[in-house]
Structure formats: C-alpha cells, structure tokens
Amino acid sequence: MKNQVIIIGSGIAGLASSIRLANKGYQVQVFEANAYPGGKLAEIRQGGYRFDTGPSLFTLPEQVEELFTLSGKNPPDHFSYIRLPVNCHYFWEDGTHIKAYSDTGKFAEEVASKLGEKRENILQALENASFIYKYLSPLFMHRSLHRIGTWVGSNALKAYVRLGKLGLFQTMNESNQKQFTHPKMVQLFNRYATYNGSNPYQTPATLNIIPHLEFNRGAYFPEKGMHAITESLYKLACELGVQFHFNQKVEKIVVEKNRAKGIQVNGKVHKADLLVNNMDMVNAYKTLLKDQQQPTRLLQQPKSSSALIFYWGIKKTFPELDLHNILFSEDYKEEFDHIFSKKTIYRDPTVYINITSVYKKDDAPADCMNWFTMINVPNNQGQDWTLLTSRARSAIIEKINRTLNTDIEPLIEVEELLDPITIETKTASANGALYGNSSNNRYAAFLRHANHSRIKGLYFCGGSVHPGGGIPLCLLSAKIMAEMIPENQGSTNTL
Ligand code: FAD
C-alpha cells in the first residue's frame, strides 16, 4: 500500500511538490481553499480580455520542464515558451526610451548611444551578476540552508574564499553607483530589488544576481500565457494520480506526540503519513499550528512589498509598448522610502505595464490591449486602501499620460483591481506580501523557515519559506523539500 501525503495549498510550489512526491511513489492529495489551482498564478477573463493575475516575468523555464522530464514526458509536448528578444522597455518622462535587448552586446550599445554610459560598464555589471550566481546559487537556491552538508562541501568553500566579492557588505544601490556613471542606469539596475519585493537602498548587492537570470539566462514567455504554467502542471499532477480537493480550506494540522498525523477540514480529520504545507508560513503558524510552539523570530521578519494592480482592457493599441514596460519614477529613493519606511504610496510611482496580447493576440479583442498595470506598494499594515487606491489610480493615469503622451482614462473599457487585502484574502499571503519575507538585510536568507519542521512528518514549500518567493524559487523549494523525503517503499509506518 502506498503511503499517503497531504499537501495544503495548490500554489505553484504545492503543484510541483505533488508531482515530485507522486513520482516518488506516494499517494498524494492536495487540499485547496480556492475553487482553482495555482494560488497567485491564476487568470481572470472579462469582456473579451484575459489577464494573468500575478506573476508576469518568467525565468529559469527549465525548472518547469524538469517536472515533465521527471514524469517521463517530453516537455515541449506539454508546455511551450519563447525567449524574449527584448526583456523590457524602460521609459522616463524626459522622453528617454531604453530597450533592454536580451542580446547583451546590443543592450550595451543601446545604453551607450542613448545615455553615454560606457558599453564595458554594462557588460562588466552582467559579468559580476554571473559571478555571484555561480558561487551563491548552488548554496542558496539549490540546497537547504538548514543541513550541515550545505556548509561543509566544496561549493561552500568556493563561496567562503570569495565572500568579499559577493556583494554582502554593500547595498545594491551602493554597488550600482560604483558600476555605472549614469543615474538612469543605476535606477534601472536598482529595480531588480523589486523582483523579490525588496528595497535597493537596503538590500545587499548580492541581489545583483537577478540581472544574471534575466539577461544571461533569459526572460521567457509561455506561449499560452503565464497561467499555462499552472494549467500544464495541474494536468500533469492529475495524470500522475494526484487527487485535488477544491474549496477545502484546511483548519488545522493535527499533531500527536510531535508527529504530524493529518489535517482537519470542515471539522473532519483526514489522516496522512506526511504533510506538506504550501500555505504562507506565517498564517499557517497563526491558524493551522496555533497550538504548537511558534518560531517567533522567523514569524517576525519584515515582509516583502505588495502591489496594486489594475487589470485594464484598453480599446487602442500602442506600438511603442511591448510585453514588459516600465515608466520610471523621477525620484526612486523617495518612492522606496514611501513603500518601506512611510508605508504608503509615493505621488509619482514607477508604473509597470505588462501586455500579454502583444504576444498572445487572443488575450484582447482586435485593436485592443490587455494592460496589467502595477505599482509596488507597502504590504498591508491597516492603511486606508480605499483612499490610497483612489489616489494611486489618479497618479498612475497622470504618469501614463505624461510619459506616453496620451489620455488613457477614456480608453479603459474593462477594469479589475487587486490590492494587498485581496492578495491576502485570495492566497492567505501574510500582509498581502508578494514574496514572503523581504531581503532587506544580509541575514534575510537565514531567517526564512526551513523546508522541514521540528514536527516530524511536516514539510514546507512555497514563497514564504526557503529559498524564497518568485516562480523559480518556489519550484526549487518543492525540489529541496522532496529531496528530504525518501522514495516510498510501499509499506506503512516506514517514515
Ligand atoms: P501561493 O501562490 O501563495 O498559493 C498558496 C495556495 O495555498 C493558494 O492557492 C491558497 O488558496 C492555498 N491555501 C492557503 N491557505 C490554505 C488553507 N488553509 N487550506 C487550503 N489551501 C490554502 N513571481 C515571479 O516569478 N515573477 C513575477 O513576475 C511575479 N510577479 C508577481 C506579481 C504579483 C501581483 C504577485 C501576487 C506575485 C508575483 N510573483 C512573481 C510571486 C509569485 O507569484 C509567488 O512567489 C508564487 O506564485 C507563490 O507560490 P506559492 O507556491 O508560494 O503559493
């Protein structure tokens, strides 16, 4: 008889965990509070428009493909994607428009010709990013930080001897000010801190690892949209025999003699040999594990930023806009001070516009575009979100009008909103944070919850635990977690 595993939550890490553990011979059941899988990686449709609701930037696609290969399938038969020729278009109000070509030589030329920044500075910055990735990713992305083996192997030794060059002792902004001469380039590279919800004026320069992923490894777009990641993995899990129970909000993790025994849903107990929690770790301890010892220090870590997103159906096309577009704030430092210190929204926010209909035409009616219009905002600390949202909407519209020389409001024919409160209601993410803990100090990586627990038989995956938020890291959290669990031998009580 197969051992039973229950997974709480079908976010991207919950789906990946179900696939990995089914491949290890377990009978896997997933209990999901929502009526659909994917958590933050969902979609909405309205008035002829389709919108991916959460993640829009896709890197390290091999992490998705690996799940198909592991299951004996040919990945392209189930999930296809393209590499973007231009990662992002950057706009400033003075009319500067930089295309971040994925070809790094071409990008360096573009920056040199438009800003006078030396070509070599760009190429050297990307080289530095690659250096950090080479020495830190084997430790911080692919291994548990909570196993002694991680710290005594050759990878650790290689990192120790290069500690001074890995960006731990200066902030991202300090490092970028040394790397570039033009303030617009400092701003562009500082933006990478937002990829895990952090503040470039606080986060260590180690996070300069992120441009390596986008430029050297590539930014991609799934041909059927971001939601295809969820759909294809959900389908794969079902084919492997994983059973999904939707609209089933788990109320409690049942623990006896320090061993996880099952879950309680609607007052009924479901037993399992192993449990994997994909619910946000903070809220899981507050609700499902409220009778258990709390990891107080980990629970108190500052959360990442959140977001305000307007899903707009726009009845016009803008040829200057691509899949990813950034309309930069005139004062980036002030914007981040507002988000992380003042816990409010700056009057001139950086606006991100993601338009999947550029690549996937049927995401919008003819001659229209689906705009996912997002600004970074503080996580929910009880602010008056009705007031902040209304002010931010006006500020965003004015910013778009000034930068793109248009009048956008009359062109909006469909509108939906996602704010920190709805992010928390829909996915149980603590304070509506997008990426779990922020990385605003050099110890942040060590203050994320491990992928295992002091409660026997209980494991953790997802953006709120090691190695952190974002699709690739969530997929890696499932991998690290699954590697801790032995192949199922088919007998009971072996664990
Ligand atoms: P989540 O998506 O958080 O899902 C958790 C699941 O658990 C949910 O389905 C929830 O309903 C379920 N659950 C919770 N409590 C219970 C319970 N008690 N019982 C049963 N089920 C429960 N990442 C990128 O890589 N690129 C991006 O461009 C990007 N942009 C983003 C933009 C936005 C607006 C947001 C919100 C996120 C973005 N992210 C991005 C981050 C990325 O979406 C997340 O890191 C990732 O999707 C989190 O996955 P997860 O597995 O932790 O689970």
Side-chain angles (χ1 to χ4, degrees), residues 7-15 31-34 36-41 53-59 195 226 245 248-252 277-280 283 287-288 306-309 311 324 352 372 374 418 423 425-429 432-436 461-464 468-474 477:
I7 298 179
I8 303 164
S10 67
I12 189 72
L15 290 172
F31 285 77
E32 167 56 55
N34 288 328
Y36 52 86
K40 297 184 178 74
L41 197 45
T53 55
S56 54
L57 177 71
F58 183 40
T59 54
Y195 282 30
M226 293 297 284
H245 307 274
Q248 300 285 306
K249 186 172 179 177
V250 177
E251 296 149 355
K252 184 177 180 177
N277 177 61
N278 175 221
M279 180 187 187
D280 177 279
N283 279 330
T287 56
L288 313 187
S306 186
L308 205 55
I309 300 137
Y311 306 94
H324 301 294
Y352 167 60
F372 165 113
M374 171 178 146
L418 190 69
I423 291 171
T425 341
K426 287 184 176 179
T427 64
S429 201
L434 304 190
Y435 300 96
C461 67
S464 66
I471 297 171
L473 296 189
C474 287
S477 77

Side-chain angles (χ1 to χ4, degrees), residues 305-464:
S305 54
S306 186
L308 205 55
I309 300 137
F310 296 93
Y311 306 94
W312 283 337
I314 300 284
K315 52 183 182 186
K316 188 180 169 208
T317 53
F318 287 76
E320 68 272 43
L321 296 181
D322 198 355
L323 178 67
H324 301 294
N325 310 278
I326 286 287
L327 280 51
F328 264 128
S329 170
E330 295 295 299
D331 192 338
Y332 220 29
K333 174 85 170 56
E334 224 11 79
E335 181 178 6
F336 282 97
D337 280 349
H338 276 71
I339 297 171
F340 287 96
S341 303
K342 299 176 183 159
K343 309 278 181 202
T344 187
I345 301 175
Y346 184 46
R347 61 175 171 75
D348 175 34
T350 296
V351 177
Y352 167 60
I353 308 173
N354 171 247
I355 312 172
T356 60
S357 61
V358 170
Y359 278 93
K360 189 174 171 298
K361 299 287 172 211
D362 60 355
D363 278 356
D367 303 319
C368 300
M369 286 179 138
N370 64 338
W371 282 24
F372 165 113
T373 313
M374 171 178 146
I375 58 168
N376 294 308
V377 304
N379 57 50
N380 182 28
Q381 300 290 330
Q383 298 93 327
D384 180 347
W385 286 107
T386 310
L387 180 68
L388 287 182
T389 303
S390 151
R391 280 190 195 151
R393 188 178 184 279
S394 304
I396 291 169
I397 286 173
E398 284 163 22
K399 179 92 187 161
I400 292 170
N401 290 349
R402 287 196 305 273
T403 315
L404 301 180
N405 195 18
T406 186
D407 181 11
I408 202 68
E409 188 144 29
L411 301 174
I412 302 171
E413 59 172 358
V414 157
E415 176 162 316
E416 286 287 331
L417 172 72
L418 190 69
D419 65 18
I421 295 179
T422 36
I423 291 171
E424 180 154 18
T425 341
K426 287 184 176 179
T427 64
S429 201
N431 306 101
L434 304 190
Y435 300 96
N437 293 353
S438 69
S439 295
N440 286 340
N441 67 66
R442 73 175 78 110
Y443 307 107
F446 302 97
L447 293 167
R448 286 200 178 89
H449 197 285
N451 304 101
H452 61 283
S453 155
R454 41 167 287 292
I455 299 171
K456 293 192 182 74
L458 175 62
Y459 295 83
F460 285 82
C461 67
S464 66

